[in-house]
Amino acid sequence: MAAKVVLDFEKPLYELEEKLSEMRVYLKSGEVDSLSEGRSGLKREIEALEAKVESLRKTIYKNLTRWQKVQLARHPERPYTLDYIYMMMKDFVELSGDRNFGDDKAIIGGFARLADEATGFSQSVMVIGHQKGRDTKSNLYRNFGMAQPEGYRKALRLMKMAEKFRKPVITLIDTPGAFPGIEAEERGQAEAIARNLYEMASLKVPIICVIIGEGASGGAIGIGVGDRILMAENAWYSVISPESCSSILWRSWNFKEQAAEALKLTADDLLAQGIIDRIVTEPLGGAHHNPEEMAATLKAILIEELQGLLPKAPTTLVDERIAKFSLMGVWEES
């Protein structure tokens, strides 16, 4: 089914898919005589157009620019944290509040069970992630996925609970950034994020972080310190968004495409730089074209990664995690 929201670079493909759909409907309508050359001729045209659509689809999505990937990461039909939880896990129990100020709906979390009947794998996990809304009402409720200090403090409370009960932590990152409002600053936004970085570095249980959409600045890394950093193929992860970078360097948002190229914020870029450990392949066209397939792919990878992390001693996990992040940004001059 064609996506409801069509991005600019997808329009040529969408127009062909619409034409193909019309031809299929006409073929099934019975208006074309089954014994006539017209029907067989229409079938040949449909087959030729199907091949053209498939070729164009591969051409577009296999050659995306960095800015186009940013657009896909922001697609409003893309699966969010709760979608992944309900597609991948069982028995999810959401836990609320930071036990200090309130409950931030931009970050959700709780215990769930990650299980695979085929292999017999079953593991209770603490899953935490940013949550966006699908419409104006739900986006206001979720603050557009921009967490306030109580969101990061809630996340830390849940991580500490996971550590207490010796359960691995899985975080799903998808945010345009931490909420920059004055009230967030008054309640210690920077301190809350910094505290999470400090505490996650020494948490004595496995942590797997997954960038499923947008990964912007401190808002993303506030739940992004882990033993394994995974990233969806069409997600982006950067210290700043292309628009904000453009406004700083060029005093205008009109250079966001050039900024995206300069920031090197795609999964391929970050894997080459050693910032992430693994890319999660998306269905052709993006995760929103087949959320179930995307969730199944991510689930299999999470299980595989957990099987490698669970046998490790807590001290080994902490030592390797600290060494991993300590190496980032380090280079030698010859």
Side-chain angles (χ1 to χ4, degrees), residues 147-149 152-153 178-180 184-194:
Q148 308 217 32
Y152 293 104
R153 291 178 179 132
F179 183 62
E185 300 297 339
E186 289 172 342
R187 294 197 299 275
Q189 183 73 290
E191 186 279 335
I193 293 173

Side-chain angles (χ1 to χ4, degrees), residues 136-303:
T136 302
K137 183 178 180 180
S138 60
N139 262 318
L140 290 172
Y141 181 69
R142 300 289 181 184
N143 201 31
F144 297 86
M146 295 185 293
Q148 308 217 32
E150 51 271 22
Y152 293 104
R153 291 178 179 132
K154 173 171 70 173
L156 180 57
R157 181 177 76 83
L158 300 188
M159 291 178 205
K160 286 293 187 180
M161 185 183 296
E163 183 180 50
K164 177 180 178 180
F165 294 107
R166 300 179 182 177
K167 304 298 181 184
V169 174
I170 295 172
T171 69
L172 303 177
I173 298 166
D174 186 13
T175 179
F179 183 62
I182 188 170
E183 61 270 35
E185 300 297 339
E186 289 172 342
R187 294 197 299 275
Q189 183 73 290
E191 186 279 335
I193 293 173
R195 172 61 59 180
N196 278 20
L197 304 186
Y198 177 81
E199 297 288 353
M200 290 183 80
S202 57
L203 206 70
K204 295 180 177 63
V205 292
I207 308 174
I208 300 177
C209 306
V210 190
I211 301 102
I212 59 173
E214 295 187 270
S217 194
I221 203 171
I223 57 170
V225 177
D227 304 292
R228 297 287 288 173
I229 312 298
L230 315 179
M231 187 170 174
E233 182 181 1
N234 294 313
W236 68 273
Y237 192 32
S238 175
V239 70
I240 193 171
S241 71
E243 294 93 334
S244 297
C245 179
S246 174
S247 67
I248 292 171
L249 296 182
W250 288 281
R251 300 292 188 270
S252 167
W253 280 27
N254 296 331
F255 298 91
K256 53 187 177 293
E257 295 183 38
Q258 292 94 317
E261 291 296 319
L263 286 168
K264 298 189 183 301
L265 39 61
T266 67
D268 289 330
D269 294 324
L270 296 170
L271 183 65
Q273 296 166 20
I275 304 298
I276 67 169
D277 300 299
R278 188 168 181 176
I279 297 173
V280 182
T281 304
E282 297 188 22
L284 190 64
H288 59 285
H289 278 262
N290 195 334
E292 292 79 11
E293 180 185 334
M294 180 63 185
T297 300
L298 179 55
K299 179 180 177 179
I301 291 174
L302 288 174
I303 290 174

